Amino acid sequence: MEETKNKNTQVLDIGENYAEKYGFRDPEEYFHKGAKGISHEVVEMISRMKKEPDWMRDFRHKALDIFYAKPMPKWGNTELLNSINFADIYYYIKPIEAQGKSWDDVPEYIKKTFDRLGIPEAERKFLAGVTAQYESEVVYHSFKEDLEKQGVIFLDMDSGLREHEDIVKKYFATVIPPNDNKFAALNSAVWSGGSFIYVPPGLDVKIPLQAYFRINAENMGQFERTLIIADKGSRVHYIEGCTAPVYSTNSLHSAVVELLALEGAYIRYTTIQNWAHNIFNLVTKRAVAHKNATVEWVDGNIGSRLTMKFPAVYLVGEGAKGEILSIAFAGNGQHQDAGAKAIHAAPNTSSRITSKSISKGGGRASYRGLVKVYPHATKSKVSVECDALLIDGASRSDTYPTMEIDADEVRIEHEARVSKVAEEQIFYLTSRGLTEDEARLLIINGFIEPFTKELPMEYAVELNRLIELEMEGSVG
Amino acid sequence: MNEKKVIFAFKDIHIEVEGKEVVKGVSLEMREGEKHALMGPNGSGKSSLANALAGHPNYTITRGEAFINGKSLLEMDATERARAGLFLAFQYPLAIPGVTVANFLRSALKSKYNGDENILREFRKELNEKFQALDIDKVFATRYLNDGFSGGEKKRIEILQMAMLKPQVCLLDETDSGLDIDALRIVSKGINEFAPKDGAVLLVTHYQRMLNYVKPDKVHVMMAGQIVRSGGPELALQLEEQGYDWIEKEVMKAVEV
């Protein structure tokens, strides 16, 4: 009885102290807070403060020109996209002067934030290294010595540039150039933070590398930049999760993530993003898989006002494999525009896309996917499966699948399903003593099980909890 | 016998489905430890009765009353009825993809006992024992509930659920249908073993064959939404030999008179 009661209070409370539960926020005591808006001066300031080499500074300025020149996307939810006011956003905030070198150096108020996110606990359990992004700068960064000894580089992107300029210069923006799209250009101009990983040839990084991201200042854009290079025959799993605070005005998150899996390498990139409901989450994620390499995106999207995210794999070497597994949860007032891209540019390549979406309370989930097989990519295999679950009649799901198959002997499987939670299923479960809410949640957890079973236990638990909160969050 | 406590009773139950009356005034009383069989031809309203009593939203009880352990049933929703000790074994159990049998049972138990984790302490052990008793392969614990199960497998899992959830009143809706003779024997054994000794079991069935294994104390025959005859186990045998026609004729005659 007690737990039911607690739960009920939680349900009632959620609208009121959501800010405390997830959207807790610290007073803004920033070392440096630039002016709102974007300009060449802001870009110059960012680059100077970071003491970057000239080539990066030039890169930023050129990217800004591209950002100015490019029009807003004319597809997707243009109404929401056009509501973004670029002049009303902070593009760079540095919370403390230097990066905390150890846990002791991290300021108390930031530790408190991490405590509530459960980071130290997570680390105790199985973290190899934690890069937690607080505001634009990475403040805490640690990873196990043995990884370092093996030659694995796991740094925040800024440190990566400082300490391994040669590697960064060789690969940075080679997968996603600034002129790819307007938001990639913006990120290129003002990027800050993100992860930089390099795994040397033949090394199997047994423990997942994890980063925790967090946005704190109101109206602050977070433009992290992640670059992961798995050298020949190496293996790595990178995990990031996000919990963002609640604010009344819009915040912009626009990341760029580039993955390179060299010959025979394996990269898995797992993300669970739980953004506050006013955040615009416009992310460009792309991977290149060379000969016999494998890239897997495991991508979970919860929260945000609008998410546009289509993790891509470019299969450029013979025998390369790509897998994109995603879920999206769209609640009231939210639009999850998520999907995947697989580009087959070599023979015997294979891709598998599994996309699951849940819409509830008038939320909208779109699947947008592109599979392209170039003429010489013969004997390739393509599999696309989209599954949408509607919780109520007010919600919406749509799919925009595109397939351009220009090669012969390609095996294609495509399935798309839209289903509703059946009343009969609910009755079946309630007749066993579950409440209707519990029954619905169990059905939803079952629906996304193919996704959660790919997550480390801790993340699976958190995801289920987040969805439980989302389900409780709105009544009717 | 009659001094035993009444565990489950309903009186003058009328049921509508999509505006049509399918059960027209049915009453029954079951005492502690009793097993009753509710028999009848297809469409006689016996499954509607079982579903309505369990709280199915598509079946509206328009009149009558029902009690479980003296508590009034009809004000409760399906969840509350289950928590009050009622259990319906479905004729067509539903698939819940992505939810394993073990996880489902764990959730149901936890929910039924209001989150009391103590109830789960012996869960694994108990589950294994019951799998064995019902001759269910242990891999079913990790399979998704009823997802791709054969008809017979689903029925066994229903009885497994009954065994794990330990209800007081069991409505078994055509649990014997779709079973081959071996499966029928195992499922029947399961019912005998795991049905509540201090509770009541209502076997809803078309055929007599299950009653060879699960002996009913009383047999009721339902036709056109009413219980037209009640008797001892011999009534079931008579039906097996002569079919339902003779009762129908007698009922018709009675109506004419």
Side-chain angles (χ1 to χ4, degrees):
Chain A
M1 205 57 195
E2 210 159 81
E3 185 173 293
T4 325
K5 263 194 191 145
N6 284 343
K7 264 194 174 164
N8 287 339
T9 1
Q10 272 173 22
V11 178
L12 294 173
D13 284 352
I14 201 129
E16 287 152 39
N17 46 4
Y18 185 84
E20 256 167 50
K21 275 192 195 127
Y22 274 98
F24 47 86
R25 109 173 102 154
D26 299 304
E28 294 177 10
E29 295 168 16
Y30 300 103
F31 174 76
H32 181 95
K33 191 163 174 172
K36 275 185 183 177
I38 179 99
S39 64
H40 278 287
E41 287 70 44
V42 169
V43 166
E44 186 67 24
M45 185 270 294
I46 293 172
S47 192
R48 286 213 184 284
M49 286 199 54
K50 290 174 180 290
K51 300 189 178 72
E52 287 177 346
D54 289 345
W55 67 267
M56 183 57 83
R57 197 187 62 213
D58 294 346
F59 171 85
R60 287 179 183 274
H61 281 295
K62 277 179 197 150
L64 182 61
D65 287 333
I66 295 168
F67 169 74
Y68 284 145
K70 274 208 181 274
M72 286 294 271
K74 292 198 171 49
W75 49 277
N77 196 330
T78 49
E79 194 189 326
L80 277 181
L81 279 174
N82 289 324
S83 74
I84 299 171
N85 182 0
F86 289 106
D88 200 31
I89 290 167
Y90 289 105
Y91 288 88
Y92 181 65
I93 295 171
K94 194 175 178 181
I96 48 169
E97 187 170 15
Q99 214 181 309
K101 284 195 184 76
S102 76
W103 188 241
D104 291 339
D105 297 334
V106 176
E108 205 51 45
Y109 75 99
I110 289 178
K111 273 187 193 167
K112 234 166 55 195
T113 306
F114 287 148
D115 276 349
R116 299 189 69 170
L117 289 173
I119 289 193
E121 198 190 328
E123 191 191 352
R124 276 198 298 276
K125 281 179 189 157
F126 60 90
L127 292 195
V130 169
T131 312
Q133 176 153 358
Y134 191 86
E135 304 301 339
S136 304
E137 204 70 54
V138 174
V139 292
Y140 171 56
H141 187 141
S142 73
F143 60 99
K144 284 187 176 160
E145 280 180 354
D146 59 328
L147 272 182
E148 219 168 6
K149 275 183 211 146
Q150 291 173 79
V152 176
I153 302 166
F154 181 24
L155 296 168
D156 64 277
M157 195 63 225
D158 298 88
S159 303
L161 176 60
R162 272 194 301 274
E163 294 170 30
H164 301 277
E165 192 184 333
D166 50 332
I167 306 177
V168 173
K169 199 171 176 182
K170 184 173 174 190
Y171 294 109
F172 193 88
T174 58
V175 182
I176 304 170
N179 59 7
D180 189 83
N181 66 73
K182 192 171 178 73
F183 292 95
L186 180 62
N187 174 285
S188 298
V190 299
W191 71 266
S192 200
S195 292
F196 172 64
I197 295 171
Y198 171 81
V199 185
L203 184 72
D204 182 357
V205 182
K206 292 256 180 352
I207 311 163
L209 304 177
Q210 309 196 37
Y212 228 100
F213 291 86
R214 189 152 166 74
I215 300 179
N216 195 44
E218 191 165 357
N219 274 354
M220 203 210 68
Q222 183 153 334
F223 303 93
E224 91 264 20
R225 182 102 195 181
T226 288
L227 174 63
I228 300 176
I229 303 128
D231 214 324
K232 289 181 183 174
S234 68
R235 296 174 69 85
V236 65
H237 183 189
Y238 175 76
I239 304 178
E240 70 174 19
C242 301
T243 314
V246 176
Y247 290 120
S248 53
T249 51
N250 295 333
S251 284
L252 175 62
H253 174 257
S254 189
V256 166
V257 178
E258 301 177 281
L259 311 184
L260 290 111
L262 304 189
E263 187 176 334
Y266 168 92
I267 301 176
R268 172 176 278 205
Y269 191 108
T270 299
T271 318
I272 297 175
Q273 290 189 313
N274 172 36
W275 298 108
H277 293 181
N278 59 342
I279 288 198
F280 284 78
N281 183 34
L282 311 168
V283 175
T284 310
K285 284 184 160 180
R286 192 174 301 157
V288 172
H290 289 269
K291 190 176 173 189
N292 295 324
T294 300
V295 173
E296 295 168 354
W297 294 104
V298 178
D299 203 69
N301 302 293
I302 300 167
S304 84
R305 177 84 178 89
L306 171 67
T307 285
M308 290 178 81
K309 184 157 65 162
F310 318 99
V313 185
Y314 283 54
L315 304 156
V316 301
E318 185 158 1
K321 287 193 182 83
E323 179 155 357
I324 302 147
L325 176 60
S326 67
I327 61 148
F329 187 106
N332 185 23
Q334 298 176 10
H335 186 179
Q336 298 282 0
D337 192 344
K341 271 194 224 174
I343 311 295
H344 294 253
N348 287 310
T349 48
S350 67
S351 66
R352 195 164 80 174
I353 295 169
T354 310
S355 161
K356 287 182 167 269
S357 72
I358 300 161
S359 320
K360 152 172 194 290
R364 179 178 172 195
S366 309
Y367 167 77
R368 196 183 298 277
L370 170 68
V371 177
K372 185 169 178 66
V373 183
Y374 281 98
H376 59 285
T378 52
K379 294 180 180 147
S380 289
K381 280 185 241 166
V382 174
S383 154
V384 179
E385 194 188 326
C386 323
D387 240 347
L389 185 68
L390 300 175
I391 305 297
D392 48 55
S395 303
R396 177 174 165 190
S397 145
D398 27 39
T399 54
Y400 307 96
T402 307
M403 289 220 188
E404 296 169 10
I405 314 293
D406 300 323
D408 297 326
E409 295 179 78
V410 175
R411 211 175 78 200
I412 300 163
E413 289 164 28
H414 183 223
E415 265 183 78
R417 274 185 302 269
V418 179
S419 49
K420 283 189 178 154
V421 175
E423 217 172 278
E424 287 284 334
Q425 283 178 309
I426 301 275
F427 173 58
Y428 186 51
L429 297 176
T430 52
S431 80
R432 301 309 188 239
L434 294 167
T435 64
E436 271 193 42
D437 284 349
E438 287 170 338
R440 212 165 271 124
L441 193 63
L442 198 66
I443 292 167
I444 290 165
N445 284 345
F447 176 76
I448 60 166
E449 204 268 354
F451 181 86
T452 33
K453 77 171 183 215
E454 293 298 324
L455 300 175
M457 178 64 96
E458 199 167 276
Y459 283 82
V461 169
E462 180 175 354
L463 180 65
N464 284 342
R465 210 166 69 88
L466 285 175
I467 287 184
E468 190 177 344
L469 284 171
E470 291 291 329
M471 287 300 295
E472 285 175 353
S474 69
V475 179
Chain B
M1 277 293 270
N2 275 5
E3 282 137 46
K4 286 202 169 163
K5 205 172 113 194
V6 174
I7 293 288
F8 188 56
F10 48 88
K11 220 185 271 175
D12 194 30
I13 292 285
H14 291 250
I15 298 165
E16 273 186 17
V17 181
E18 289 165 0
K20 204 180 141 216
E21 187 164 69
V22 292
V23 172
K24 303 162 182 175
V26 167
S27 305
L28 200 69
E29 207 174 75
M30 299 175 74
R31 287 171 190 273
E32 194 177 316
E34 284 184 352
K35 290 190 184 79
H36 290 208
L38 182 65
M39 302 184 68
N42 289 331
S44 58
K46 51 193 197 307
S47 275
S48 298
L49 180 64
N51 275 285
L53 288 170
H56 194 300
N58 293 355
Y59 297 82
T60 314
I61 297 182
T62 53
R63 221 162 90 193
E65 47 186 355
F67 298 93
I68 182 164
N69 256 327
K71 277 182 279 181
S72 178
L73 196 73
L74 302 186
E75 290 89 74
M76 303 180 190
D77 64 20
T79 305
E80 290 161 339
R81 291 180 200 196
R83 291 181 182 186
L86 191 68
F87 178 87
L88 171 67
F90 280 52
Q91 187 179 359
Y92 303 108
L94 287 108
I96 312 290
V99 179
T100 64
V101 169
N103 269 343
F104 159 67
L105 283 168
R106 214 180 272 120
S107 304
L109 276 168
K110 218 177 120 184
S111 177
K112 192 176 169 185
Y113 293 94
N114 287 309
D116 182 5
E117 300 269 354
N118 284 331
I119 202 76
L120 299 174
R121 206 179 292 146
E122 300 279 304
F123 177 78
R124 267 288 156 193
K125 192 171 156 250
E126 198 186 333
L127 188 63
N128 281 338
E129 283 166 10
K130 281 165 183 169
F131 268 97
Q132 214 167 3
L134 290 161
D135 199 23
I136 303 169
D137 193 314
K138 261 200 263 179
V139 300
F140 275 81
T142 56
R143 284 187 59 184
Y144 299 150
L145 182 60
N146 295 324
D147 196 14
F149 290 12
S150 72
E153 286 162 352
K154 286 180 186 170
K155 295 302 172 73
R156 275 184 221 202
I157 295 293
E158 291 294 289
I159 299 307
L160 173 83
Q161 292 178 38
M162 181 190 82
M164 292 298 288
L165 297 172
K166 303 184 186 67
Q168 217 181 356
V169 174
C170 305
L171 312 174
L172 308 179
D173 189 8
E174 309 229 1
T175 298
D176 55 341
S177 70
L179 296 182
D180 63 31
I181 195 72
D182 289 329
L184 182 68
R185 200 176 293 131
I186 291 160
V187 165
S188 302
K189 196 183 123 226
I191 295 168
N192 286 327
E193 198 172 333
F194 299 120
K197 303 285 174 279
D198 57 349
V201 177
L202 186 64
L203 301 146
V204 177
T205 179
H206 189 83
Y207 302 106
Q208 193 272 339
R209 56 177 202 155
M210 186 184 228
L211 308 182
N212 292 331
Y213 302 100
V214 185
K215 302 276 183 226
D217 300 291
K218 283 181 184 160
V219 175
H220 312 275
V221 181
M222 208 167 160
M223 265 179 198
Q226 288 179 311
I227 290 181
V228 293
R229 184 148 309 195
S230 294
E234 71 287 346
L235 181 56
L237 291 169
Q238 201 179 348
L239 286 172
E240 182 74 357
E241 276 169 30
Q242 303 174 19
Y244 288 103
D245 287 355
W246 64 275
I247 294 190
E248 206 171 349
K249 274 175 202 146
E250 280 187 21
V251 171
M252 292 307 282
K253 222 182 271 171
V255 169
E256 277 164 33
V257 170

